[in-house]
Amino acid sequence: MSLQPFVNKKVLVLTSDGRTLIGMLLSCDQLTNLVLGATVERVIRPPDDEEASAEVSHGLYVIRGENVAVCGLVDEELDASIDWEKVRGSVIGGVRHS
């Protein structure tokens, strides 16, 4: 499946090392290399961690295709209604290649 219909739309990318990145998809190619604009990394803390979850701004961000596990559109209205600092959850594991 091509990601071309997602260009100039807000997407969420899960990377093979378990990071969660949200940004505007500016460009992609046949190898799933992605260029995101206004990128934010969401760091979701586990329930027993005293530190609040956080969003770390990265701005323009390039992700190599081999590091993309999942890419999908973001429901911007729903996304804006969530206070991400209060969200808690388990750490997403990385991808294993065999």
Side-chain angles (χ1 to χ4, degrees), residues 3-40:
L3 293 174
Q4 284 299 323
F6 294 179
V7 171
N8 294 321
K9 295 184 179 167
K10 191 173 185 179
V11 296
L12 182 143
V13 178
L14 295 177
T15 63
S16 58
D17 63 355
R19 288 179 294 141
T20 303
L21 301 164
I22 297 89
M24 187 70 62
L25 181 61
L26 301 177
S27 182
C28 60
D29 65 13
Q30 67 276 12
L31 299 175
T32 319
N33 294 311
L34 307 177
V35 179
L36 302 180
T39 307
V40 173

Side-chain angles (χ1 to χ4, degrees), residues 18-82:
R19 288 179 294 141
T20 303
L21 301 164
I22 297 89
M24 187 70 62
L25 181 61
L26 301 177
S27 182
C28 60
D29 65 13
Q30 67 276 12
L31 299 175
T32 319
N33 294 311
L34 307 177
V35 179
L36 302 180
T39 307
V40 173
E41 179 178 359
R42 289 204 177 122
V43 181
I44 306 299
R45 303 285 183 201
D48 58 349
D49 193 335
E50 292 182 17
E51 191 174 347
S53 294
E55 291 187 315
V56 180
S57 180
H58 291 300
L60 188 65
Y61 205 82
V62 177
I63 307 169
R64 290 184 54 157
E66 63 191 33
N67 293 323
V68 175
V70 177
C71 180
L73 288 175
V74 171
D75 180 333
E76 294 190 49
E77 186 177 330
L78 177 62
D79 187 61
S81 72
I82 298 170

